[in-house]
């Protein structure tokens, strides 16, 4: 077992345990924190696979922006008290069973697949920003532009949803 | 995997030095802040502890250490403890990728060995900075939230929204710079700014990207939560900010981390726009002195720039009144971001039409 | 590492995300579990990109992040709008719609 | 209504011009002001080491005077108490007993003389009212303390000590 | 790719209009003009492509094989933009009543159309994914845009959570396919590259199937549909249930026809057939029990999705034709019936009582549209069903599926004709909340006659492919 | 050309009717249109010997469907029946006031157009098209006008028939996909259908037969019938029973029997048994009915059963008999409905127990009723006899091993028919006298009924007029 393997197993364990805590934490703030920890583990995996750019972008985007928004919302709503009524035990059980069976079915299907023994190398420079940049602006330039359209739509949408309709309320009164 | 023990040793020493230096600079920043504030207000500033009050930071630190620890009853305990640690941890992390000086050579018994005055030269250096800065928010937010105090929470949210908002403009202003440099590695960026005058043009990025620099500077003010953007601490509305409930050394860590942040961002500013450790006629100097000495000179130059920036931060703090929160966000979203985009466009156009190598 | 390990890891994360979606009632936590699913996908994509030696997959990850960010912006706005009205983010409230 | 003083000024609410909106000139101006202050003379006086000179008319703590022979001048006539607008002074008179001539100049003296320094406004009327020059206001400032009781100054707190009398005599001789 | 760019530009124009224009009515006019422009651009694009095709200069692959255009897809775009144009003309007045951000609503429609155009021409799973997202995100918002109504917010939240969840599943499918095939290009898939069936690829296909099933509301992934369609503001329901849904089906069909072409057809019939049966069964049976016409239309859209699943099962030349005709027939008819519904105050069946006497024109149009939905000859809906069934029957082993579907179509008569019965055979005093203008009448007449004309001569729709 | 006219005239006149506002005008217009159709139908039937009436235009090239019409003898006979029934009905109902007459007459004429199309279509898709098109106006007619339960019963009728036709659609598309180059042409369909494997043929046969069987209706599929007949207005009832029933029979003759020979062979016997059950079952039910309309409805079930048996008896006589009986049954039952309607309108009830003494009050009407009843129970010298005789003959000659038993049971049906029909006449016309002065037939009614009586008598006396065509 090389150092690489050890790091892999540690990161994996970290990720899975934190992910489980995301689900079972009563307090949403704890869920957020565990999710961030999971993201860090995943970023660690990226670094292990020599995808540094994605590793750091993962941190910036998910941990730095997305989860902050989550935290914001949770804090503003003051959901820290464990007010969330729990679903019945049956639902928990059903969720566990269904997710577990999904996992089992898929993984047992893959046991037969030939591809599964191909190693993932940490060598190669495809994770480097230069290569990614070239690919992005060369082959993937259309999706790149489209993502701007997507953002525009999301921005308009967030504005429409978020703004209070002052004029309308006045007129109805 | 072969591990170069000497390399690890070297890096550990470097890390220790950098952290110690950061701490030291941060500590003396508090002293400097008082001094600067004093002289600008026609006062003298700390004087009693040691000559010129130079032992004042130590006294402050000692005082904080011996103060009573108070953990509010209704707080979320482990987060309350975690927050200051996180905050100071993230502020120290950034220093890892700053090139403090040029390589120098040690002639040992096994032959010459080049030592890099940088903990890690990763090829996405600037992104690393952004990554660390973006998670720095958590320290504040968790601290504010875990205190279970409305004022803390509000100020934490202010701090976080301010940080997120200005990160955008910060990033955008840098993109124009990165277009010019063509790399994200800070070391390469510094090396590109070698010397001061190339014979044809100034090498420092400040001269190529003045607008970018200004935007970056303004944004770093906001990121550091320093006046005139020190919303989270606006005493008149929110008492003391997100660390309202903190006491003793946990408070000290928050305060300390802010100064460390200032130090690091000054270093980043100097590295990106003011040539890092480069200085005019450095080639001549290099020829004249041994490599070790030259490196020290370079480190000194960088430190001088950093100190200059720190002084500038303080200078501004004691000059400008605080913005209102809506003005702050307005400035960020409707002024700085468009300006940064404009800067980006102009830079792109210039590169496209004048320096197109194809 | 063989790709199988990564398959196992990211499917575990994915399944945990799915379980969270099914199990929890807090809309925000459900949304977070969805983010977890997306991350599992990202991880697998990077692993596959290494297997196939194709940077395109990593670019794909980039786009997933973009979309996730856009979704968060919209989604949280919707959740907040809902919260303003019913003072809760419990999705069981949604079942009232049926009647 | 016309303003009674010329200090009130209406706030200029006209919209800012572009130059003002840019904010940079104003910023520069602010910076230059603070910059100029760096080089100004510092106003600070390093207090215990240095003190600021009192003005000639400064009125400090009360002192009960003695004559050249060291006898108390006060006769407990009560004029000072009467003159005091803050009603800070109280006194009790007593008759000089034989053998006390070296202590009190007149037949009557103040057995108890108190000034409540928390009430006193240091107006100096007592000094003016005293027919015997028994009380005057010195150039010392009142020291701080933790207890209120302390601020009720007793006679012995205010009487000149022998040492002070000696010095005073010396001073007078030098002047004189 | 003029229309694709135009959608984004037009959306931005609408947003700018929102800043400057105060009169709500002018938004609708502006949007209608822009939409007409979009139709024109689409036609131009199609003509242009044909011109190039004639001179053998046309390359179907655009942007490094990200998109693949052909006459078929371009023609679909023309039709969808035309339907959107009529949609705006018909329901524009009602959109103005939803809320204050009218300009933004139209902008979001244009964004959705951007997604529609992407889904019709994608050649890469990335574009499929982005297209679906560009399509979905504005929908989440539109469904929550009626802020005075709690139901609308709830619909939005529900739709959003379900949509995001299905996005996750879709992505997992894409990743597994990529892992198995090594490419995102849908023409590069080969499930038998190693001689045996690629398990990972098949699992990926299943994941994608589930996710796309969510988007098109195929059972058992349909449960969000009725609530969302019912809760959303009615004009937007009309858009979501028609143009958007049809476009996702178009993408769905392309995926199975071009991407998964060499997957075992038996497998396709078994899995897709199960979904189809469930969809038809649930959609039709539950629609029968609805009290509100709007909700009934929501369930009927599930039922119609069951029929559209046949094009996916078919995935052949007949299915391509069927897709076009079904898309147009279903869209026109649904938009038409929603156009009538929007005029009414009461959305229950009783609200329709006696409509034929008071507003014979509305009743006539509604009847034509409902008959088209039911698939009665002389309306476009008949040929729509005809083609999709023919497409499915070309696959072996689908005969009983088709018979089942036809029985379900008979069930659908019950709820469609319940409306017609209310309008014609019952008496009542239906109340209108929006007056029927001449413009409405003209548009309704166009829709009604189009339904009939395409019901007599569906070839007109197939002329370009 | 005349074939197209047969379609177009009712279509145009029907659409035009919607524009009228005055009741009288629209009645006149509708009568004019239907008479015009009658003229064209009669002319085209007369000209049948000279030329084969087949026309074909391209309709849907992508599908291979064409607008093909063929005027075979059977088809033209059916169109003639349609063309006769409509003006007679309109004439007889001239005085009746109907709500929203423009809509009513318009829909009637559209229904006529659809019926014409069904009989003339020579292309499978076109046939299906008209098959449905005939249904829609009739549904609206049945749903909008009639008794209080009309909505329910008409919808039942509609769903039954539509379900049947949808099943046929499935079979149709399957059949289409088996044709060599995607074609709906009659000949291609014939060739393809016959060449299909037996199992497939059987399935398709069942699918098609359900559609036709519901329309006829045959025994287990008949439950819509009585209600629909009872609740609708008489003109609509006439369309339903005199004409739409023939659609089903015609469909079997043209599109089922020849297309799936193997299926016919397989299921012929079963269908004959079903028809027999229908005959007996219908007759039994008719006997116990109080309501005249219901009685006639069930009698219709019995009559149709006999015709179905004739089709599947697979002999020449039977097939001639079927066509003849289809025509005759149409005429007879139209007359029967008209008379019943007159009675109902005058007495305000259809309950036989409440009626009586019609003979005294309205002798002309009584004569008409009696003659038509005779035709219905197939007494010699009425047209009903010719058809039924040929049918029995055909069944007797059939190669079916049980043909004797079948014929015997079917004969039992005749006897039962005589029982309930005569019972009805006895109760209505003679029975206990009801003191109620009613007017005898008015001018227009008389015209219409006498024409029917004339056809009944002429074809009864000189059946060759009809049979020579076949």
């Amino acid at each position: 077992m090389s150092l690489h393997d050890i790091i892999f197993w540690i990161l994996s364990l970290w990720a899975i345990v934190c992910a489980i805590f995301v689900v079972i934490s009563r307090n949403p703030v704890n869920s957020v924190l565990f999710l961030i920890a999971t993201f860090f583990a995943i970023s660690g995996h990226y670094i292990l696979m020599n995808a540094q750019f994605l590793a750091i972008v993962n941190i910036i985007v998910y941990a730095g922006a997305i989860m902050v928004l989550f935290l914001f919302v949770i804090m503003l709503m003051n959901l820290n008290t464990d007010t969330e009524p729990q679903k019945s035990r049956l639902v928990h059980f059903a969720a566990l069973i269904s997710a577990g069976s999904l996992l089992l079915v898929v993984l047992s299907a893959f046991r037969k697949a030939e591809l599964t023994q191909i190693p993932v190398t940490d060598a190669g420079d495809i994770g480097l920003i230069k290569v990614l940049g070239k690919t992005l602006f060369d082959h993937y330039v259309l999706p790149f532009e489209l993502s701007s359209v997507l953002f525009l739509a999301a921005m308009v949408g967030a504005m429409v949803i978020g703004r209070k309709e002052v004029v309308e309320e006045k007129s109805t009164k | 995997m072969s591990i170069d023990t000497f390399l690890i040793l070297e890096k550990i020493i470097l890390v220790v030095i950098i952290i110690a230096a950061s701490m030291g600079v941060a500590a003396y920043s508090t002293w400097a802040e008082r001094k600067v504030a004093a002289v600008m207000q026609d006062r003298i500033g700390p004087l009693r502890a040691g000559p010129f009050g130079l032992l004042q930071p130590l006294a402050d630190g000692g005082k904080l250490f011996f103060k009573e620890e108070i953990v509010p009853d209704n707080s979320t305990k482990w987060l309350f403890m975690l927050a200051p640690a996180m905050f100071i941890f993230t502020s120290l992390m950034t220093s890892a990728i700053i090139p403090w000086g040029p390589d120098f050579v040690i002639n040992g018994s096994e032959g010459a060995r080049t030592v890099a005055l940088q903990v890690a030269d990763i090829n996405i250096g600037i992104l690393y900075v952004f990554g660390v800065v973006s998670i720095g928010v958590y320290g504040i937010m968790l601290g504010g939230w875990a205190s279970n105090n409305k004022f803390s929470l509000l100020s934490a949210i202010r701090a976080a929204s301010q940080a997120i908002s200005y990160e955008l403009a910060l990033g955008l202003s840098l993109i124009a710079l990165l277009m010019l440099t063509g790399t994200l590695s800070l070391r390469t960026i510094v090396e590109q700014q070698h010397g001061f005058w190339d014979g044809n043009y100034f090498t420092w990025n400040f001269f190529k990207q003045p607008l970018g620099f200004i935007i970056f500077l303004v944004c770093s003010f906001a990121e550091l939560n320093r006046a005139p953007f020190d919303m989270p601490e606006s005493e008149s509305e929110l008492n003391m900010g997100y660390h309202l409930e903190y006491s003793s050394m946990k408070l000290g860590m928050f305060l300390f981390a802010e100064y460390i942040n200032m130090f690091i961002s000054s270093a980043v500013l100097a590295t990106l726009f003011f040539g890092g450790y480069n200085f005019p006629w450095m080639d001549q100097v290099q020829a004249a002195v041994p490599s070790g000495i030259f490196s020290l000179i370079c480190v000194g130059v960088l430190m001088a720039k950093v100190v200059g920036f720190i002084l500038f931060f303080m200078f501004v703090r004691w000059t400008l009144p605080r913005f209102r929160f809506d003005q702050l966000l307005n400035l960020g979203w409707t002024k700085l971001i468009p300006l940064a985009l404009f800067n980006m466009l102009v830079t792109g156009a210039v590169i496209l039409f004048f320096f197109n190598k194809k | 590492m063989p790709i199988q390990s990564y398959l196992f890891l990211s499917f575990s994360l994915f399944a945990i995300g799915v379980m969270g979606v099914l199990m929890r009632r807090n809309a925000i936590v459900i949304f977070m579990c969805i983010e977890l699913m997306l991350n599992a996908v990202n991880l697998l994509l990077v692993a596959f990109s290494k297997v196939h030696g194709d940077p395109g997959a990593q670019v794909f990850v980039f786009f997933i992040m973009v979309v996730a960010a856009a979704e968060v912006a919209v989604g949280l706005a919707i959740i907040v709008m809902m919260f303003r009205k019913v003072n809760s983010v419990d999705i069981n409230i949604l079942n009232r719609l049926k009647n | 209504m016309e303003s009674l003083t010329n200090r009130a000024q209406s706030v200029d609410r006209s919209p800012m011009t572009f130059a003002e909106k840019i904010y940079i000139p104003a910023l520069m101006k602010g910076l230059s002001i603070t910059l100029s202050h760096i080089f100004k003379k510092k106003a600070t006086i390093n207090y215990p080491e240095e003190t600021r000179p009192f003005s000639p008319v400064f009125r400090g703590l009360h002192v009960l005077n003695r004559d050249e022979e060291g006898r108390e001048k006060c006769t407990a006539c009560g004029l000072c108490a009467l003159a005091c607008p803050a009603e800070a002074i109280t006194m009790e008179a007593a008759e000089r007993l034989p053998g006390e001539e070296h202590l009190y100049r007149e037949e009557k003296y103040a057995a108890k003389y108190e000034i409540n320094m928390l009430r006193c406004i240091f107006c100096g009327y007592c000094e003016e009212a005293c027919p015997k020059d028994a009380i005057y206001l010195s150039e010392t400032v009142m020291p701080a303390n933790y207890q209120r009781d302390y601020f009720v100054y007793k006679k012995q707190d205010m009487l000149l000590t022998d040492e002070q009398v000696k010095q005073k005599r010396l001073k007078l001789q030098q002047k004189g | 790719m003029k229309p694709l760019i135009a959608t984004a530009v037009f959306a931005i124009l609408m947003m700018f209009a929102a800043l400057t224009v105060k009169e709500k009515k002018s938004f609708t006019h502006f949007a209608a003009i822009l939409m007409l422009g979009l139709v024109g651009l689409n036609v131009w694009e199609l003509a242009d492509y044909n011109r190039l095709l004639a001179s053998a200069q046309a390359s179907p692959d655009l942007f490094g094989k990200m998109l693949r255009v052909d006459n078929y897809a371009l023609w679909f775009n023309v039709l969808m933009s035309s339907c959107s144009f009529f949609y705006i003309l018909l329901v524009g007045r009602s959109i103005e009543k939803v809320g204050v951000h009218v300009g933004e609503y139209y902008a979001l429609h244009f964004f959705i159309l951007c997604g529609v155009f992407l889904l019709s021409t994608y050649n890469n799973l990335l574009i499929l994914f982005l297209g679906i997202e560009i399509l979905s995100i504005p929908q989440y918002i539109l469904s929550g845009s009626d802020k005075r109504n709690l139901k609308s917010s709830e619909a939005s939240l529900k739709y959003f959570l379900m949509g995001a969840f299905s996005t996750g599943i879709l992505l997992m499918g894409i990743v597994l396919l990529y892992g198995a095939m090594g490419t995102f290009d849908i023409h590069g898939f080969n499930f038998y590259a190693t001689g045996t069936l690629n398990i990972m690829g098949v699992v990926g296909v299943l994941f994608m199937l589930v996710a796309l099933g969510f988007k098109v509301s195929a059972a058992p992934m349909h449960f969000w549909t009725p609530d969302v369609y019912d809760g959303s503001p009615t004009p937007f329901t009309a858009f979501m249930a028609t143009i958007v849904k049809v476009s996702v089906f178009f993408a769905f069909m392309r995926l199975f026809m071009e991407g998964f072409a060499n997957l075992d057809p038996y497998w396709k019939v078994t899995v897709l057939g199960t979904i189809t049966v469930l969809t038809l069964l649930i959609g039709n049976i539950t629609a029968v029990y609805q009290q509100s016409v709007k909700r009934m239309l929501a369930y009927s859209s599930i039922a119609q999705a069951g029929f559209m699943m046949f094009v996916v099962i078919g995935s052949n030349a007949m299915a391509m034709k069927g897709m076009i005709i079904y898309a147009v027939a279903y869209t026109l008819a649904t938009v038409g019936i929603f156009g009538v519904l929007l005029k009414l105050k009461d959305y229950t069946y009783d609200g329709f009582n006696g409509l034929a006497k008071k507003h014979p024109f509305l009743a006539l149009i509604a009847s034509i549209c409902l008959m088209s939905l039911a698939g009665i000859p002389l309306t476009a809906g008949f040929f729509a069903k005809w083609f999709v069934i023919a497409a499915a029957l070309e696959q072996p082993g689908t005969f009983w599926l088709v018979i089942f579907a036809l029985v379900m179509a008979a069930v659908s008569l019950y709820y469609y004709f319940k409306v017609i019965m209310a309008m014609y055979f019952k008496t009542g005093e239906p109340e209108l909340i929006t007056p029927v203008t001449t413009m409405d009448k003209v548009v309704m007449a166009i829709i009604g006659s189009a339904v009939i004309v395409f019901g007599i001569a569906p070839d007109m729709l197939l002329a370009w492919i | 050309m005349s074939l197209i006219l047969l379609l177009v005239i009712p279509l145009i006149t029907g659409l035009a009717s919607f524009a009228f506002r005055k009741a009288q005008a629209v009645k006149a217009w509708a009568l004019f249109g239907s008479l015009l159709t009658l003229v064209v139908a009669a002319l085209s039937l007369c000209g049948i010997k000279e030329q084969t009436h087949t026309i074909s235009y391209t309709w849907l090239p992508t599908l291979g469907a064409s607008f093909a019409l063929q005027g075979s003898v059977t088809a033209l006979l059916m169109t003639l029946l349609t063309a006769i029934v409509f003006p007679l009905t309109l004439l007889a109902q001239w005085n009746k006031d109907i709500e929203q007459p423009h809509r009513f007459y318009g829909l009637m004429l559209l229904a006529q157009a659809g019926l014409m199309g069904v009989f003339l279509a020579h292309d499978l898709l076109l046939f299906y098209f008209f098959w449905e098109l005939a249904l829609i106006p009739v549904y609206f007619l049945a749903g909008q006008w009639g008794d209080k339960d009309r909505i329910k019963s008409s919808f039942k009728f509609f769903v039954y028939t539509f379900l049947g036709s949808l099943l046929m659609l499935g079979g149709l598309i399957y059949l289409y996909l088996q044709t060599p180059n995607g074609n709906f042409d009659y000949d291609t369909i014939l060739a393809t259908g016959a060449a299909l494997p037996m199992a497939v043929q059987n399935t398709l046969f069942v699918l098609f037969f359900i559609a036709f069987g519901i329309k006829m209706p045959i025994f287990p599929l008949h439950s819509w019938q009585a209600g629909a007949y009872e609740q609708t207005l008489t003109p609509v009832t006439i369309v339903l029973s005199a004409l739409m029933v023939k659609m089903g029979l015609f469909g079997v003759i043209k599109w089922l029997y020849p297309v799936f020979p193997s299926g016919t062979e397989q299921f012929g016997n079963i269908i004959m048994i079903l028809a027999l059950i229908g005959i007996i079952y219908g007759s039994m039910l008719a006997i116990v009915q109080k309501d005249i309309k219901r009685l006639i409805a069930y009698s219709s079930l019995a009559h149709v059963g006999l015709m179905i048996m004739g089709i599947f008896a697979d002999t020449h006589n039977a097939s001639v008999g079927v066509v003849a009986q289809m025509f005759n049954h149409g005429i007879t039952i139209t007359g029967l409905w008209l008379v019943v309607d007159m009675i109902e309108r005058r007495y305000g009830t259809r309950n036989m127990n409440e009626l009586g003494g019609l003979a005294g009050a309205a002798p002309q009407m009584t004569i008409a009723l009696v003659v038509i009843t005779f035709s219905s129970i197939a007494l010699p010298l009425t047209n009903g006899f010719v058809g039924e005789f040929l049918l029995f003959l055909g069944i007797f000659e059939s190669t079916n091993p049980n043909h004797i038993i079948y014929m015997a049971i079917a004969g039992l049906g005749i006897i039962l028919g005589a029982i309930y029909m005569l019972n009805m006449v006895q109760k209505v016309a003679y029975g206990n006298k009801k003191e109620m002065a009613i007017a005898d037939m008015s001018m227009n009614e008389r015209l219409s009924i006498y024409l029917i009586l004339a056809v009944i008598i002429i074809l009864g006396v000189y059946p060759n007029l009809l049979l020579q065509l076949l």
Side-chain angles (χ1 to χ4, degrees), chain A residues 3 5 15 18 22 49-50 88 93 106 108 113 121 134 141 150:
Chain A
L3 184 65
D5 287 3
C18 286
V22 171
M49 287 187 273
N50 205 13
S88 69
F93 197 63
V106 172
S108 60
T121 56
K134 282 236 166 63
V141 66
L150 180 75

Side-chain angles (χ1 to χ4, degrees), chain A residues 18-19 23 36-38 44 61 63 78 98 118-119 142 170:
Chain A
C18 286
V23 175
I36 293 166
T38 316
V61 174
N78 198 21
S98 51
I118 299 175
L142 175 73
K170 262 182 196 166

Side-chain angles (χ1 to χ4, degrees), chain F residues 18-50:
Chain F
F18 287 105
F20 285 89
R21 280 292 168 269
K22 282 197 171 167
Q24 290 300 317
V26 73
K27 277 180 194 171
W29 170 256
L31 189 60
F32 164 73
S34 55
L35 284 174
L36 204 60
T37 320
L38 177 57
V39 172
V40 178
L43 285 178
S44 49
L45 189 60
C46 293
I48 189 137
K49 290 258 166 77
E50 281 78 46

Side-chain angles (χ1 to χ4, degrees), chain E residues 286-407:
Chain E
T286 39
V288 166
Y289 293 104
Q290 300 309 316
Q291 303 301 318
S292 144
V293 174
K294 190 178 172 188
R295 219 171 155 78
M296 177 276 278
L297 285 171
Y299 278 106
S300 105
S301 88
I302 298 176
Q304 301 281 349
F307 272 99
M308 280 190 262
M309 283 300 291
F310 280 133
V311 300
V312 186
I313 293 178
S315 306
N316 46 32
M318 190 67 93
M320 286 169 72
K321 295 174 190 170
M323 185 70 231
I324 289 274
I325 296 177
Y326 213 109
V328 175
Y330 170 68
T331 304
L332 282 182
T334 312
V335 167
I337 185 73
F338 267 106
V340 175
L341 189 67
L342 276 167
K343 301 284 172 210
L344 294 176
K345 194 178 178 189
D346 186 2
Y347 285 176
T348 60
Y349 284 103
D350 291 338
F352 280 83
N353 281 354
L355 192 69
K357 224 170 236 162
K358 211 169 175 196
H359 304 281
F361 183 75
L362 284 185
L364 178 69
I365 297 299
S367 310
I368 290 174
C369 292
L370 286 167
M371 285 197 221
S372 180
L373 286 176
I376 285 170
L378 206 70
T379 58
F382 169 71
F383 276 110
K385 286 210 168 56
W386 201 98
F387 272 98
V388 298
I389 288 171
L393 277 177
E394 281 194 2
Q395 296 281 355
T398 49
F399 188 74
W400 292 109
L401 198 61
V402 167
I403 297 300
F404 176 78
L406 289 170
V407 173

Side-chain angles (χ1 to χ4, degrees), chain A residues 115 139 156-157 159-160 163 168, chain E residues 15 64 100 104 141 147 179:
Chain A
L115 191 74
H139 191 216
V156 177
M159 199 276 293
V160 168
R163 229 202 242 168
E168 202 67 17
Chain E
M15 277 150 59
V100 290
E104 280 84 355
I141 293 142
K147 299 219 188 125

Side-chain angles (χ1 to χ4, degrees), chain F residues 16 26 71 82 86-88 104-105 109 121 167 170 203 213 218 256 259 317 323 343 358 375 404 406 430 435 446 468:
Chain F
V26 73
T82 313
F86 271 87
L88 287 178
F104 183 81
Y105 291 106
L109 290 172
L167 293 178
T203 318
I218 193 165
L256 187 66
V259 175
N317 276 332
V323 178
I343 295 168
L358 184 72
S375 166
I404 306 281
Y406 289 172
Y430 308 104
E435 293 304 325
R446 226 176 283 164
Q468 69 178 355

